[in-house]
Amino acid sequence: MAKATAMLSDLKRAGLKLTPQRIAIVHEIAEDLTHPTAQDLFERLRPSFPTMSFATVYNTLDALARCGLTGELRLGTAVRFDPNTSPHHHAVCDACGTVVDIPAEEHPPKKVRGFRVRVEERTYRGLCGRCMKES
């Protein structure tokens, strides 16, 4: 709840109006470590907000990412949103698509061969524990 409150305060400071839909989107993403897509969140919130558009969800998530309040994880054609903004990597299950945060142990270098590094991302691929048991 504290994370959602902080995110909402930052959005308001960025000049975004805090509509009931936007508040619900922030509360839904703030503690969600499943790395949902905009479509996932849209489908979850649609029963409570039947007139809300997909664009509202996507634009709110985009604003959160631009403000540095969520990260974006691109897996194939899908963009998944991550409320964990501390340095970390991801493990992705090849079978079910589950994404798990892996703490980063060191900070990225400032420069790599003349390239200024903004963020370092590593994606580990394999099978999660549940899928290993099923196979």
Side-chain angles (χ1 to χ4, degrees), residues 110-117:
K110 299 274 188 227
K111 282 191 174 185
V112 176
R113 294 187 184 153
F115 187 87
R116 191 170 123 217
V117 176

PDB file of all heavy atoms in Angstrom, residues 110-117:
ATOM      1  N   LYS A 110      29.908   2.413 -15.734  1.00  0.00           N
ATOM      2  CA  LYS A 110      29.437   3.703 -16.273  1.00  0.00           C
ATOM      3  C   LYS A 110      29.581   3.756 -17.789  1.00  0.00           C
ATOM      4  O   LYS A 110      28.754   4.322 -18.476  1.00  0.00           O
ATOM      5  CB  LYS A 110      30.221   4.858 -15.653  1.00  0.00           C
ATOM      6  CG  LYS A 110      30.068   4.933 -14.153  1.00  0.00           C
ATOM      7  CD  LYS A 110      28.855   5.719 -13.792  1.00  0.00           C
ATOM      8  CE  LYS A 110      28.830   5.934 -12.293  1.00  0.00           C
ATOM      9  NZ  LYS A 110      27.613   5.681 -11.662  1.00  0.00           N
ATOM     10  N   LYS A 111      30.693   3.185 -18.298  1.00  0.00           N
ATOM     11  CA  LYS A 111      30.930   3.191 -19.741  1.00  0.00           C
ATOM     12  C   LYS A 111      31.430   1.822 -20.188  1.00  0.00           C
ATOM     13  O   LYS A 111      32.152   1.151 -19.472  1.00  0.00           O
ATOM     14  CB  LYS A 111      31.974   4.233 -20.134  1.00  0.00           C
ATOM     15  CG  LYS A 111      31.461   5.639 -20.179  1.00  0.00           C
ATOM     16  CD  LYS A 111      32.472   6.546 -20.827  1.00  0.00           C
ATOM     17  CE  LYS A 111      31.871   7.933 -20.994  1.00  0.00           C
ATOM     18  NZ  LYS A 111      32.763   8.801 -21.719  1.00  0.00           N
ATOM     19  N   VAL A 112      31.017   1.431 -21.362  1.00  0.00           N
ATOM     20  CA  VAL A 112      31.483   0.204 -21.998  1.00  0.00           C
ATOM     21  C   VAL A 112      31.860   0.564 -23.423  1.00  0.00           C
ATOM     22  O   VAL A 112      30.989   0.860 -24.242  1.00  0.00           O
ATOM     23  CB  VAL A 112      30.392  -0.891 -21.992  1.00  0.00           C
ATOM     24  CG1 VAL A 112      30.866  -2.117 -22.730  1.00  0.00           C
ATOM     25  CG2 VAL A 112      29.980  -1.232 -20.570  1.00  0.00           C
ATOM     26  N   ARG A 113      33.160   0.618 -23.696  1.00  0.00           N
ATOM     27  CA  ARG A 113      33.669   0.950 -25.034  1.00  0.00           C
ATOM     28  C   ARG A 113      32.989   2.182 -25.626  1.00  0.00           C
ATOM     29  O   ARG A 113      32.418   2.150 -26.711  1.00  0.00           O
ATOM     30  CB  ARG A 113      33.527  -0.243 -25.968  1.00  0.00           C
ATOM     31  CG  ARG A 113      34.395  -1.390 -25.549  1.00  0.00           C
ATOM     32  CD  ARG A 113      34.362  -2.490 -26.567  1.00  0.00           C
ATOM     33  NE  ARG A 113      35.152  -3.600 -26.043  1.00  0.00           N
ATOM     34  CZ  ARG A 113      34.960  -4.844 -26.356  1.00  0.00           C
ATOM     35  NH1 ARG A 113      34.008  -5.174 -27.186  1.00  0.00           N
ATOM     36  NH2 ARG A 113      35.718  -5.781 -25.846  1.00  0.00           N
ATOM     37  N   GLY A 114      33.001   3.282 -24.869  1.00  0.00           N
ATOM     38  CA  GLY A 114      32.451   4.532 -25.368  1.00  0.00           C
ATOM     39  C   GLY A 114      30.937   4.641 -25.296  1.00  0.00           C
ATOM     40  O   GLY A 114      30.359   5.633 -25.714  1.00  0.00           O
ATOM     41  N   PHE A 115      30.287   3.663 -24.750  1.00  0.00           N
ATOM     42  CA  PHE A 115      28.831   3.649 -24.642  1.00  0.00           C
ATOM     43  C   PHE A 115      28.461   3.913 -23.195  1.00  0.00           C
ATOM     44  O   PHE A 115      28.929   3.213 -22.300  1.00  0.00           O
ATOM     45  CB  PHE A 115      28.304   2.270 -25.084  1.00  0.00           C
ATOM     46  CG  PHE A 115      26.815   2.169 -25.172  1.00  0.00           C
ATOM     47  CD1 PHE A 115      26.160   2.540 -26.335  1.00  0.00           C
ATOM     48  CD2 PHE A 115      26.071   1.707 -24.108  1.00  0.00           C
ATOM     49  CE1 PHE A 115      24.785   2.437 -26.425  1.00  0.00           C
ATOM     50  CE2 PHE A 115      24.705   1.612 -24.181  1.00  0.00           C
ATOM     51  CZ  PHE A 115      24.051   1.971 -25.342  1.00  0.00           C
ATOM     52  N   ARG A 116      27.660   4.951 -22.955  1.00  0.00           N
ATOM     53  CA  ARG A 116      27.241   5.240 -21.580  1.00  0.00           C
ATOM     54  C   ARG A 116      26.106   4.311 -21.193  1.00  0.00           C
ATOM     55  O   ARG A 116      25.046   4.308 -21.810  1.00  0.00           O
ATOM     56  CB  ARG A 116      26.801   6.695 -21.456  1.00  0.00           C
ATOM     57  CG  ARG A 116      26.627   7.090 -20.013  1.00  0.00           C
ATOM     58  CD  ARG A 116      26.429   8.579 -19.875  1.00  0.00           C
ATOM     59  NE  ARG A 116      25.158   8.737 -19.172  1.00  0.00           N
ATOM     60  CZ  ARG A 116      24.287   9.670 -19.407  1.00  0.00           C
ATOM     61  NH1 ARG A 116      24.495  10.557 -20.334  1.00  0.00           N
ATOM     62  NH2 ARG A 116      23.191   9.735 -18.714  1.00  0.00           N
ATOM     63  N   VAL A 117      26.310   3.500 -20.172  1.00  0.00           N
ATOM     64  CA  VAL A 117      25.343   2.494 -19.752  1.00  0.00           C
ATOM     65  C   VAL A 117      24.295   3.138 -18.847  1.00  0.00           C
ATOM     66  O   VAL A 117      24.625   3.812 -17.876  1.00  0.00           O
ATOM     67  CB  VAL A 117      26.051   1.334 -19.003  1.00  0.00           C
ATOM     68  CG1 VAL A 117      25.030   0.330 -18.481  1.00  0.00           C
ATOM     69  CG2 VAL A 117      27.055   0.655 -19.927  1.00  0.00           C
TER      70      VAL A 117
END
